[in-house]
Amino acid sequence: MIPTINLKELIFSTTRKRDTMALITYREALKQALAEEIERDENVCIMGEEVAQYNGAYKVTEGLWEKYGDKRVIDTPISEAAFSGLAIGSSMLGIRPVVEMMFMSFSYVAFDQLFNNASFCRYMSGGLMNVPIVVRGPANGGTNVGATHSHTPENLVANHPGLKVVCPSNAYDAKGLMKSAIRDNDPVFVMENTLLYGEKWEVPEEEFIVELGVANTLKEGTDISIISHGRCAMIALKAAEILQNEHAINAEVIDLRSIRPLDEDAILNSVRKTHRAVLVEENKPYCGVDAQISHLIQYKAFDDLDAPIHRVSAIDAPQIYSKPLEDWQIPNEQRIIDSVLKCLA
Amino acid sequence: MPTKQAVKKSTGKSGSTKKFEAEAINKKLSKSEKLKLYKKIVAIRRFEERSLQAYNQGKIGGFLHLYIGQEAVATGIVSLMEENDHIITAYRDHGHALAVGMTMNECMAELYGKYTGCSKGKGGSMHYFAPDKRYWGGHGIVAGQTPLGAGLAFALKYKGLKGCAVCFLGDGAVNQGSFMETLNLVSLWGIPVVYVIENNGYSMGTSLKRSSAEESLAKRGEAFGIEWSTCEGHDIFEVRSAANKAMTYARDNLKPYILEIRTYRYRGHSVADANHEKYRTKEEIENYKKNKDPINVLKTKLLADKTLTEASAKEIDREIKAEAEASAKFAEESPYPPKSEITTDVYWTVDNDSDNQLKGTYFFND
């Protein structure tokens, strides 16, 4: 389950103390980011299935159509290839569309548009154009919907130079990263999480952004580094608390926030301090994001390691439907704790 | 506004006999404008012939999809572009590039993979771009450009600019799902995009009859409530006449339009297509060359109206051949891009990070 105790304070101990904080949901934080950017820049518009009159399949865009109208918040037919490509084409002329995938799994229907056109048009033109679009939507399992609706393709996106991808784990990052993504002049995927939409965190009422490529230390520690992203970072934080309270292990928890660009320094500095690393992600392990992180650590911090790098990923099979089994298939506190104990043994 | 019937009547079956040069859109052309059209058509032909020579000499690698035979289509339509019009096409893109005014030098150098190429040697034959000339590629995946073309036109409408996007595609591309999705979308939203189907009869080696259940490709527009018409592509005046109606309709009504232009390519799907005389007869190719060659058709008309003389035509051809030859020399003598270019033009933010403000690692090379 989603951890709620104590964690909010841990996450934001480093944010500006002066700011007035409001306790809002991850969903509300995203909506605020979208609304603020629509008001800031007349070229920002939202398009996707059910985003306008239906208020969004997951209500992220609730109320935006009523407030900003047909021009800025646009319902599309169920045609991911067409509206993704249309968004890309329009961005070449300066429109900045935020494209909602009802599930990031549906981006696969638009693969050519997103993974050929959005990613490579700039390169193939020798830098004559850029594609300032955002592709956002939930990319997670754990919702009992089976294999076709449970993809976590941040590894896939990160494998395409030209694309950027971020995975906010909490409301503060969701808002700050979304605003950065919309202002970015390159295509950015924002991987959200349906299991986080209803969770609340403190978010400053003042305007702020979270830069791409900056990781967040969720908890400082000395014994081992747990490096994670997305909702798994929250699970890792909960596991770290249990490790502290029940096993006297002081784990450091790093939330990558941004997968490409990647904050290598945050990873390496942590490992150089703790000398051990457990990598946690909801991706399937083979060619997952953490395969790259693991390579990075062994390549650049080999002499600092006191133990092999351990990984906790989704168990390597298509996403299973059956709820208790799916809860075990994706990373949970217990699997992280087991891995940490093994790494420290 | 022309009704569907009017548009169809003005083009279509009577094509080869009708005097399209007498129509207002063509009649208004000055001698120098007509000469410019002729030079463009010849330039495309001679450029591609020279590129083929370089390919056969092993100086150009990859794919080379030649436009020879179809030149009047791109040239005619580009000549109608207004201030806010944009074009985009697929991988048979050299003709469109030269038509919008890209130089032979930058185009040839791109084929050679040289730093002086239009994409610095990063795109190759299938990926020419010139945003400053409102030419948005050059796209390698069949029909992949069709939603992008819709996006260009969407942007015009969003910004309140009067114009249209012309998106070229081949007769094979009509069977891609992305195109059919896009047709629905542009009609639903009222997007001023003109889809020009350059129907050369073959999607690679598969004839139209063997790939499309219904022979009229533009007619598919009816399923989406889209106006459509067809015309022949060998006579640039006919192309201009039909395309002018289509583009004007899109601009004036904020609606899409499908124009199917029957044309022909003399060469294979790409130069690597050694079978192109097996899936069609030699006679078929020769017959088109003899009766419908776009250069000859235009030349005959321009000789008749005294825009050209045999001598001036010869001189134009000589000049353009020399230009094509010079472009090959330029390409050969140009340097390859430095290795550092592999990782530039990937991210706008990286390329523009002169103050070193960017956070994080963007490239993952050991």
Side-chain angles (χ1 to χ4, degrees):
Chain A
M1 290 315 297
I2 312 292
T4 50
I5 44 163
N6 288 339
L7 306 179
K8 275 70 181 180
E9 285 167 35
L10 279 168
I11 297 166
F12 304 116
S13 56
T14 55
T15 60
R16 295 159 295 179
K17 294 289 183 199
R18 288 195 312 278
D19 290 346
T20 325
M21 293 291 192
L23 195 62
I24 62 168
T25 61
Y26 186 98
R27 170 188 290 119
E28 173 65 21
L30 288 166
K31 191 197 322 185
Q32 285 181 7
L34 295 170
E36 287 173 21
E37 293 307 301
I38 280 180
E39 295 202 3
R40 189 188 57 80
D41 183 346
E42 63 182 7
N43 287 320
V44 173
C45 60
I46 297 171
M47 60 179 76
E49 294 150 11
E50 311 291 3
V51 297
Q53 300 192 26
Y54 189 87
N55 279 317
Y58 284 101
K59 304 294 174 230
V60 171
T61 53
E62 190 167 26
L64 296 183
W65 173 70
E66 205 171 3
K67 191 163 181 195
Y68 300 110
D70 287 332
K71 183 175 177 184
R72 312 298 293 280
V73 186
I74 309 161
D75 276 328
T76 66
I78 304 175
S79 306
E80 281 83 1
F83 68 76
S84 298
L86 180 141
I88 294 162
S90 72
S91 78
M92 294 170 179
L93 290 181
I95 310 300
R96 305 181 79 90
V98 179
V99 176
E100 175 174 310
M101 292 288 154
M102 191 183 291
F103 291 85
M104 206 47 89
S105 294
F106 300 168
S107 67
Y108 292 20
V109 185
F111 208 89
D112 177 46
Q113 295 306 319
L114 298 171
F115 292 86
N116 266 324
N117 289 344
S119 51
F120 302 149
C121 275
R122 174 171 182 76
Y123 194 71
M124 293 192 303
S125 69
L128 295 176
M129 63 172 76
N130 58 302
V131 177
I133 66 162
V134 171
V135 183
R136 54 154 291 265
N140 61 280
T143 51
N144 198 205
V145 292
T148 55
H149 288 59
S150 303
H151 292 99
T152 51
E154 60 266 24
N155 58 331
L156 235 159
V157 177
N159 192 243
H160 286 72
L163 300 178
K164 300 174 179 178
V165 54
V166 297
C167 302
S169 69
N170 59 75
Y172 177 89
D173 290 349
K175 182 170 181 184
L177 287 170
M178 181 63 75
K179 286 170 72 83
S180 283
I182 293 171
R183 295 177 191 191
D184 201 279
N185 279 337
D186 293 307
V188 184
F189 282 65
V190 180
M191 304 307 204
E192 301 166 5
N193 193 306
T194 55
L195 297 176
L196 298 179
Y197 280 145
E199 294 293 314
K200 288 181 177 174
W201 281 268
E202 284 197 325
V203 175
E205 286 180 353
E206 291 79 5
E207 178 158 34
F208 70 99
I209 61 156
V210 173
E211 283 182 278
L212 271 52
V214 182
N216 189 20
T217 304
L218 293 176
K219 175 184 176 300
E220 291 198 1
T222 50
D223 298 335
I224 191 165
S225 301
I226 306 177
I227 298 161
S228 187
H229 65 269
R231 175 171 164 266
C232 279
M234 291 295 126
I235 301 169
L237 192 54
K238 177 69 181 164
E241 281 196 325
I242 298 168
L243 285 162
Q244 184 109 37
N245 296 339
E246 297 178 15
H247 300 273
I249 293 166
N250 185 11
E252 180 151 294
V253 180
I254 306 284
D255 178 358
L256 295 174
R257 297 206 280 205
S258 174
I259 306 302
R260 188 171 186 147
L262 180 70
D263 190 345
E264 289 193 353
D265 290 343
I267 297 166
L268 295 171
N269 290 340
S270 180
V271 172
R272 285 178 181 135
K273 183 169 75 173
T274 66
H275 308 294
R276 289 164 204 270
V278 170
L279 314 181
V280 184
E281 67 177 327
E282 203 184 304
N283 262 315
K284 304 299 187 284
Y286 193 53
C287 300
V289 169
D290 286 345
Q292 178 67 25
I293 309 290
S294 178
H295 168 72
L296 169 77
I297 296 171
Q298 67 80 29
Y299 188 69
K300 292 191 175 169
F302 186 74
D303 291 335
D304 292 290
L305 284 174
D306 286 344
I309 298 160
H310 285 55
R311 290 179 64 191
V312 180
S313 314
I315 292 170
D316 200 10
Q319 203 81 3
I320 195 163
Y321 167 71
S322 181
K323 181 67 174 145
L325 272 72
E326 192 193 15
D327 287 344
W328 184 252
Q329 185 176 18
I330 62 177
N332 54 40
E333 288 89 354
Q334 192 54 51
R335 285 180 54 205
I336 296 169
I337 291 164
D338 292 348
S339 187
V340 167
L341 295 176
K342 219 167 122 192
C343 187
L344 280 162
Chain B
M1 271 313 91
T3 64
K4 189 192 300 176
Q5 274 64 35
V7 169
K8 278 187 210 163
K9 209 176 277 176
S10 70
T11 61
K13 285 174 191 166
S14 61
S16 53
T17 51
K18 188 161 177 186
K19 290 241 180 285
F20 290 96
E21 52 270 40
E23 291 199 5
I25 188 70
N26 295 320
K27 211 173 174 183
K28 71 174 189 183
L29 288 171
S30 67
K31 273 195 174 181
S32 79
E33 284 168 333
K34 282 190 267 187
L35 214 50
K36 212 172 136 193
L37 292 178
Y38 181 72
K39 284 179 179 175
K40 279 269 192 255
I41 287 194
V42 175
I44 295 168
R45 177 76 55 92
R46 300 300 172 233
F47 172 84
E48 289 209 315
E49 284 170 349
R50 187 59 187 82
S51 72
L52 176 61
Q53 195 186 326
Y55 187 94
N56 289 335
Q57 290 168 336
K59 290 178 176 171
I60 294 174
F63 298 129
L64 191 68
H65 304 94
L66 297 178
Y67 196 61
I68 294 176
Q70 303 182 207
E71 298 93 337
V73 178
T75 308
I77 289 172
V78 166
S79 70
L80 297 164
M81 282 173 73
E82 293 181 356
E83 189 187 1
N84 291 319
D85 294 344
H86 296 258
I87 67 161
I88 185 166
T89 187
Y91 45 81
R92 200 177 302 283
D93 61 349
H94 310 155
H96 309 74
L98 294 173
V100 296
M102 290 175 75
T103 66
M104 284 195 192
N105 277 0
E106 61 182 327
C107 290
M108 190 68 85
E110 187 63 30
L111 298 179
Y112 276 69
K114 297 298 183 74
Y115 201 25
T116 51
C118 46
S119 296
K120 305 186 199 168
K122 297 181 180 188
S125 164
M126 302 186 285
H127 309 113
Y128 285 2
F129 295 83
D132 62 325
K133 298 174 175 66
R134 290 167 277 130
Y135 175 47
W136 297 94
H139 294 270
I141 303 296
V142 172
Q145 79 282 12
T146 56
L148 301 182
L152 295 169
F154 173 86
L156 292 173
K157 186 177 178 185
Y158 189 95
K159 293 181 169 190
L161 298 170
K162 187 175 181 183
C164 68
V166 179
C167 178
F168 296 86
L169 62 152
D171 47 293
V174 300
N175 292 322
Q176 282 277 30
S178 57
F179 179 53
M180 282 178 266
E181 278 186 29
T182 304
L183 288 183
N184 177 59
L185 196 62
V186 295
S187 184
L188 187 70
W189 288 1
I191 303 295
V193 59
V194 177
Y195 285 105
V196 172
I197 302 168
E198 296 193 67
N199 180 358
N200 64 24
Y202 296 90
S203 47
M204 197 168 158
T206 304
S207 67
L208 185 65
K209 276 202 172 108
R210 293 175 56 228
S211 61
S212 286
E214 158 65 48
E215 205 177 331
S216 171
L217 304 179
K219 192 180 163 194
R220 291 183 190 196
E222 284 181 11
F224 303 98
I226 299 177
E227 292 289 309
W228 62 277
S229 63
T230 61
C231 78
E232 299 295 320
H234 60 281
D235 176 358
I236 195 166
F237 295 121
E238 178 169 356
V239 170
R240 278 173 50 87
S241 168
N244 178 52
K245 285 165 192 153
M247 292 163 77
T248 305
Y249 173 86
R251 288 185 208 111
D252 287 351
N253 298 287
L254 285 173
K255 278 184 180 175
Y257 194 98
I258 303 175
L259 174 60
E260 178 183 347
I261 303 184
R262 297 198 193 92
T263 181
Y264 200 74
R265 64 167 151 79
Y266 296 176
R267 301 282 171 174
H269 164 71
S270 76
V271 177
D273 172 16
N275 280 327
H276 80 101
E277 288 183 356
K278 290 186 182 160
Y279 57 74
R280 54 188 188 175
T281 63
K282 243 185 179 143
E283 292 70 40
E284 179 183 300
I285 306 170
E286 289 310 316
N287 183 45
Y288 199 93
K289 281 186 186 177
K290 196 177 156 201
N291 299 311
K292 293 187 169 179
D293 180 76
I295 296 182
N296 289 341
V297 168
L298 182 58
K299 187 179 161 189
T300 305
K301 293 188 178 194
L302 297 190
L303 286 171
D305 76 3
K306 305 214 175 355
T307 303
L308 276 177
T309 63
E310 284 292 352
S312 70
K314 217 173 202 174
E315 178 57 18
I316 286 168
D317 203 47
R318 195 194 61 74
E319 275 172 18
I320 287 171
K321 267 186 185 156
E323 190 188 347
E325 191 56 40
S327 76
K329 186 165 184 283
F330 171 81
E332 261 178 56
E333 289 171 357
S334 289
Y336 285 106
K339 287 194 179 108
S340 59
E341 278 293 335
I342 294 175
T343 49
T344 65
D345 304 321
V346 181
Y347 294 102
W348 185 95
T349 53
V350 174
D351 297 332
N352 291 279
D353 185 33
S354 47
D355 300 336
N356 259 335
Q357 296 293 309
L358 277 189
K359 305 282 170 47
T361 302
Y362 278 82
F363 298 99
F364 297 85
N365 306 296
D366 287 346

